[in-house]
Amino acid sequence: MYYNDDTVIYFDGNFMKAKDAGTNIYGQSLHYGYSVFEGIKSYSTAHGTRIFKAKEHYERLKRSAELMHIPFDYSADQLTELTYELLELNGFTDAYIRPLVTCSPNMSLSKGKESYLSLLAWEWSNGYLADKMKIMTSGFQRPNPKAFKVEAKVGGHYVNSILACQDAKDKGYDEALVLDENGNVAESSGANVFYEKDGTLFTPAKGSILPGITRQTVFEICDELNIPVKETFFKPEEMRGADAAFFCGTAAEIVALDSLDDVPFTKQWEDTASEKVQQAYSKLVRVLLL
């Protein structure tokens, strides 16, 4: 799914075939999940292949490395230039891009001494989630913000996401809705969440969430469309049976939800403000991106 014998990646200063890349078995990232990464998408647009919000993603990658005390000296402009070169070498237009910063061999629990940049990409013309998802409130909580830098996109944090997502699938649902340590809605296993009631969108306030770049784009779209949005803390029972709800993220884009804990959302998706946001986002990334 991700690569073949001809796929090119960027690793530690060089472009090379993915099949020829390797990692050190004593790497700190492999043993402890001590790595940072991003998920970015490129699209075929009227202006050619364009990476959506490359600067924002790469600035967050740099910030994640800083928060984790991982040395990393690439600029956002350098990273963007390398990524466009990677897409061209592979002949990709609509693609998912995975920058990954890993650390050198180190078995001690200390900050990274040296880091390696990997840039991977594969063709991806649709989101990884399907519309009208059936979700459940998870028994797994988001990591406590006093225990982790939750605003950083760290590899090790996603063990929590795997547990929550797989638990939901094992129980017959499409995805999990994960709560914070106070029982408030936080996000899904890998996307931010909004629900709609009486024409207003509600989304969890910052604190235990990863405040996504797509989430910020939703705010921008709502401002343009005069759709009110409130950032607030709320319980899952406030969300159950609302007019509509959706997950949002770079890979997922805007994904309509069908039900929470077997309680359906009540409005037809086509009649909601949420659907207008979904359509505007799709147009933004594929047609009007400059």
Side-chain angles (χ1 to χ4, degrees), residues 32-273:
Y32 304 128
Y34 186 49
S35 63
V36 296
F37 71 98
E38 275 296 318
I40 311 174
K41 285 183 84 172
S42 65
Y43 295 88
S44 177
T45 78
H47 307 280
T49 301
R50 292 292 185 269
I51 301 169
F52 187 61
K53 294 200 170 181
K55 177 179 172 59
E56 288 86 344
H57 279 286
Y58 281 130
E59 289 293 350
R60 186 171 68 180
L61 181 69
K62 289 168 59 63
R63 177 61 177 158
S64 293
E66 180 185 355
L67 288 168
M68 290 296 104
H69 308 291
I70 295 173
F72 186 65
D73 58 5
Y74 286 84
S75 71
D77 287 343
Q78 286 175 310
L79 292 163
T80 301
E81 183 178 343
L82 286 168
T83 305
Y84 273 114
E85 188 172 353
L86 178 72
L87 294 173
E88 185 175 353
L89 287 170
N90 285 290
F92 293 160
T93 54
D94 292 276
Y96 185 81
I97 302 151
R98 171 53 56 83
L100 174 66
V101 182
T102 54
C103 292
S104 56
N106 181 0
M107 293 296 100
S108 69
L109 299 178
S110 58
K111 68 180 182 180
K113 296 178 173 59
E114 185 180 0
S115 70
Y116 312 116
L117 170 67
S118 301
L119 293 174
L120 320 174
W122 55 91
E123 291 182 294
W124 198 340
S125 58
N126 63 322
Y128 75 99
L129 303 174
D131 261 351
K132 308 300 175 66
M133 298 184 73
K134 299 179 187 300
I135 66 170
M136 59 162 274
T137 301
S138 178
F140 291 95
Q141 294 181 344
R142 277 281 291 165
N144 188 316
K146 293 183 179 179
F148 293 92
K149 300 287 189 180
V150 294
E151 68 271 33
K153 201 169 177 69
V154 180
H157 292 180
Y158 283 76
V159 175
N160 172 262
S161 299
I162 292 170
L163 291 171
C165 184
Q166 189 58 55
D167 179 58
K169 289 178 178 178
D170 288 345
K171 292 174 179 174
Y173 296 89
D174 298 309
E175 248 290 4
L177 185 71
V178 184
L179 310 184
D180 65 17
E181 72 278 9
N182 297 312
N184 295 311
V185 171
E187 56 187 48
S188 81
S189 63
N192 292 124
V193 61
F194 288 76
Y195 80 87
E196 178 181 341
K197 187 172 183 179
D198 298 328
T200 296
L201 297 184
F202 298 84
T203 194
K206 294 178 183 178
S208 293
I209 68 168
L210 178 72
I213 290 166
T214 306
R215 176 180 180 269
Q216 180 59 39
T217 305
V218 169
F219 291 150
E220 294 163 5
I221 289 171
C222 287
D223 185 57
E224 292 179 6
L225 298 180
N226 294 316
I227 297 171
V229 185
K230 293 184 179 180
E231 292 181 84
T232 185
F233 295 106
F234 57 88
K235 306 295 184 186
E237 50 265 34
E238 297 175 67
M239 183 174 164
R240 291 190 198 107
D243 295 339
F246 60 87
F247 287 153
C248 69
T250 296
E253 298 183 1
I254 309 292
V255 179
L257 303 181
D258 177 80
S259 60
L260 170 59
D261 300 326
D262 301 317
V263 179
F265 295 104
T266 56
K267 271 195 169 184
Q268 290 294 318
W269 178 251
E270 294 74 16
D271 298 329
T272 65

Side-chain angles (χ1 to χ4, degrees), residues 261-287:
D261 300 326
D262 301 317
V263 179
F265 295 104
T266 56
K267 271 195 169 184
Q268 290 294 318
W269 178 251
E270 294 74 16
D271 298 329
T272 65
S274 299
E275 193 269 349
K276 293 182 175 64
V277 173
Q278 184 185 53
Q279 293 300 318
Y281 185 87
S282 181
K283 187 176 182 181
L284 175 67
V285 297
R286 292 178 176 85
V287 180

